[in-house]
Amino acid sequence: MKNRIYLDNNATTPTDPRVVETMVPYFFEKHGNAASRSHPYGWEAEEAVDYARENIAKLINANPKEIIFTSGATEGDNLALKGVFEMYSRKGNHIITATTEHKAVLDTCKKIEKMGGEVTYLEVDDKGLINLDELRAAIKDNTILVSIMYANNETGVIQPMKEISKICAEKGVLFFSDATQAVGKIPVDVVDLGIHIMAFTSHKMYGPKGIGALYVRRKRPRVKVTAQIDGGGHERGMRSGTLNVPAIVGFGKAAEIARLDMEEDTKRIMALRDKLENGLMQMEETYINGTTDSRMPHVTNISFKHVEGEGLMMTFNQTIAVSSGSACTSASLEPSYVLKALGLGDDLAHSSIRFSLGRFTTEEEVDRTVEMLTKGVQHMRDLSPIWEMYKEGVDLDSVEWTEH
Ligand SMILES: *Cc1c(COP(=O)(O)O)cnc(C)c1O
């Protein structure tokens, strides 16, 4: 346990102890329902929710009234996409997204297609970026929404948010972004960026799991989404259900810490990421996936040619927690659809590892990771007949492979 190294912060972050501390009273003496209007238990809970909402709004430069609590980003993505599809059905039924989106967006879009919607999936270039001219050309009279994620969970690639929002504003369509991997780690300003709807989640920013938020703009333009969970009319009628007060309190604290510590945290984490990346790139036939010009500061996704990512992970015997492909699809051994969308072949996609650092990553852990990975890759390549052929200068493209 003590020797373990956690470099899978894009899957989930550990909860910050300061967050847990603020949550505890809301399980015990302050256990009220925030919707109870007739006694101090309810008032106390409501006050705590208000304070959290303010902190979360402040982190993204929103108004607290524009924050709708959800169970996480998956629900936020569903509420945004299905909610807009229903609410704006008279205006049109066409949604534009990209092939490298999270499954929570892609699977929801597939469902919307079954419900009579029309979805365009934009491709990305070898850097992982969408093409703005293609986006502009894809917008039609019946287009109601553009859904492009802020930062990719597998590669950390950041899409040109401001340029996308400009195009959406010109054409009069709504702009939704799944900003789960960006919020709390880099400055995100919904006003400056011109984002209309935005989903994010607490457990990717050192808060508890099972709580998230959907930002829904109230002015210029006033945006509405049709509720996907009906009930007591909570959250301005857009998401019913008793609020998870302890989780919301924790989420609020996580947002406050993120805002206050972001600059320093980012500087330190980025230096560690760069150290890790530079260390690993010393090995030959090693490639960074996605652009390094527009990328999250804590992520690097690297392919070690002729090494199976899954096999490589076994060489360090569960000491280092990283991800090959995306955690959400790692139950299957399909190569990552995100990396394939960047144009990687099956071999390079299979040989990729995502390293995502975080607030609690230490330099000593980075050094140990470089050391263990270097040994692991060397070991795997020593055992590999393909690597041997490559070293002997065999043209691997001319070799006929047999299935096994
Ligand atoms: C983690 C993640 C999600 C899912 O968030 P949950 O809160 O776990 O539902 C959605 N989108 C992206 C980009 C993510 O990284």
Side-chain angles (χ1 to χ4, degrees):
M1 183 72 192
K2 227 182 172 175
N3 281 323
R4 281 190 192 165
I5 300 171
Y6 188 74
L7 296 176
D8 206 11
N9 287 274
N10 275 18
T12 192
T13 47
T15 318
D16 193 298
R18 292 169 286 181
V19 166
V20 178
E21 209 177 309
T22 56
M23 290 171 69
V24 172
Y26 294 90
F27 290 103
F28 299 108
E29 67 269 22
K30 300 181 178 178
H31 60 73
N33 185 325
S36 297
R37 290 284 149 78
S38 54
H39 51 70
Y41 290 92
W43 307 336
E44 236 167 36
E46 191 188 18
E47 212 173 283
V49 167
D50 286 347
Y51 184 67
R53 205 188 292 276
E54 274 166 35
N55 267 316
I56 293 158
K58 212 183 249 180
L59 179 64
I60 60 167
N61 192 26
N63 184 299
K65 288 189 183 132
E66 297 174 314
I67 301 298
I68 308 295
F69 285 115
T70 63
S71 63
T74 301
E75 189 192 326
D77 289 343
N78 272 266
L79 177 54
L81 292 159
K82 291 174 182 163
V84 165
F85 180 66
E86 272 191 63
M87 182 62 73
Y88 296 87
S89 62
R90 267 189 304 179
K91 185 171 180 270
N93 68 339
H94 180 228
I95 293 172
I96 299 169
T97 188
T99 54
T100 48
E101 293 288 305
H102 192 271
K103 284 288 179 190
V105 166
L106 293 177
D107 288 353
T108 304
C109 284
K110 288 271 173 286
K111 177 68 72 68
I112 286 172
E113 284 182 278
K114 278 189 191 151
M115 302 192 303
E118 183 193 343
V119 182
T120 300
Y121 300 89
L122 297 175
E123 295 191 351
V124 298
D125 62 14
D126 58 356
K127 294 172 166 15
L129 296 166
I130 65 159
N131 180 306
L132 294 169
D133 293 328
E134 277 173 29
L135 168 64
R136 195 177 282 111
I139 299 176
K140 310 186 288 180
D141 288 344
N142 63 336
T143 306
I144 47 175
L145 183 71
V146 169
S147 167
I148 300 291
M149 74 199 313
Y150 202 122
N152 187 270
N153 44 301
E154 291 193 36
T155 57
V157 168
I158 298 172
Q159 297 291 348
M161 288 290 115
K162 214 160 180 172
E163 287 78 0
I164 297 169
S165 85
K166 247 189 218 154
I167 293 170
C168 292
E170 265 168 41
K171 302 268 189 175
V173 301
L174 293 175
F175 177 29
F176 161 64
S177 184
D178 175 343
T180 304
Q181 292 292 349
V183 172
K185 296 176 191 137
I186 58 172
V188 172
D189 180 328
V190 287
V191 177
D192 179 53
L193 293 170
I195 294 172
H196 299 127
I197 314 172
M198 187 172 83
F200 52 108
T201 194
S202 151
H203 78 96
K204 305 264 173 94
M205 48 181 277
Y206 311 96
K209 292 171 182 59
I211 189 77
L214 188 69
Y215 158 77
V216 182
R217 187 182 279 250
R218 267 165 61 91
K219 271 189 203 153
R220 281 168 302 189
R222 182 181 181 85
V223 180
K224 277 192 189 166
V225 294
T226 303
Q228 301 300 307
I229 298 178
D230 298 297
H234 307 74
E235 300 300 275
R236 296 173 45 230
M238 285 187 254
R239 204 281 193 178
S240 287
T242 300
L243 292 178
N244 183 347
V245 178
I248 289 170
V249 166
F251 187 11
K253 185 67 185 178
E256 184 183 25
I257 296 170
R259 176 167 50 84
L260 298 175
D261 292 2
M262 187 179 292
E263 225 181 290
E264 235 170 86
D265 265 1
T266 301
K267 221 189 284 166
R268 183 173 41 78
I269 296 168
M270 187 151 107
L272 290 178
R273 189 274 312 269
D274 290 346
K275 187 170 194 207
L276 174 72
E277 193 169 80
N278 292 335
L280 296 173
M281 290 304 288
Q282 298 304 310
M283 285 182 266
E284 57 185 321
E285 293 287 303
T286 301
Y287 305 95
I288 300 170
N289 296 315
T291 181
T292 53
D293 296 332
S294 174
R295 184 173 59 150
M296 290 298 291
H298 66 286
V299 189
T300 180
N301 187 312
I302 299 181
S303 284
F304 304 93
K305 202 168 183 183
H306 304 311
V307 174
E308 277 275 321
E310 293 286 328
L312 177 59
M313 280 164 68
M314 277 193 265
T315 66
F316 37 79
N317 202 17
Q318 295 161 16
T319 340
I320 308 175
V322 287
S323 158
S324 78
S326 121
C328 312
T329 50
S330 67
S332 69
L333 278 178
E334 287 291 301
S336 148
Y337 68 89
V338 171
L339 297 182
K340 294 206 66 168
L342 268 65
L344 269 72
D346 280 4
D347 53 341
L348 270 185
H350 271 307
S351 70
S352 78
I353 302 244
R354 175 187 74 185
F355 304 85
S356 46
L357 290 69
R359 186 179 286 161
F360 304 107
T361 305
T362 65
E363 184 162 15
E364 185 262 335
E365 289 176 330
V366 165
D367 293 340
R368 263 168 65 212
T369 301
V370 172
E371 199 179 304
M372 285 175 76
L373 256 293
T374 305
K375 270 191 205 150
V377 168
Q378 195 55 55
H379 177 70
M380 296 285 288
R381 284 177 173 171
D382 284 347
L383 295 176
S384 158
I386 298 175
W387 182 252
E388 200 173 314
M389 289 162 81
Y390 163 76
K391 294 300 275 185
E392 284 166 2
V394 176
D395 177 10
L396 293 171
D397 292 333
S398 69
V399 178
E400 278 193 39
W401 306 101
T402 46
E403 295 286 334
H404 58 270

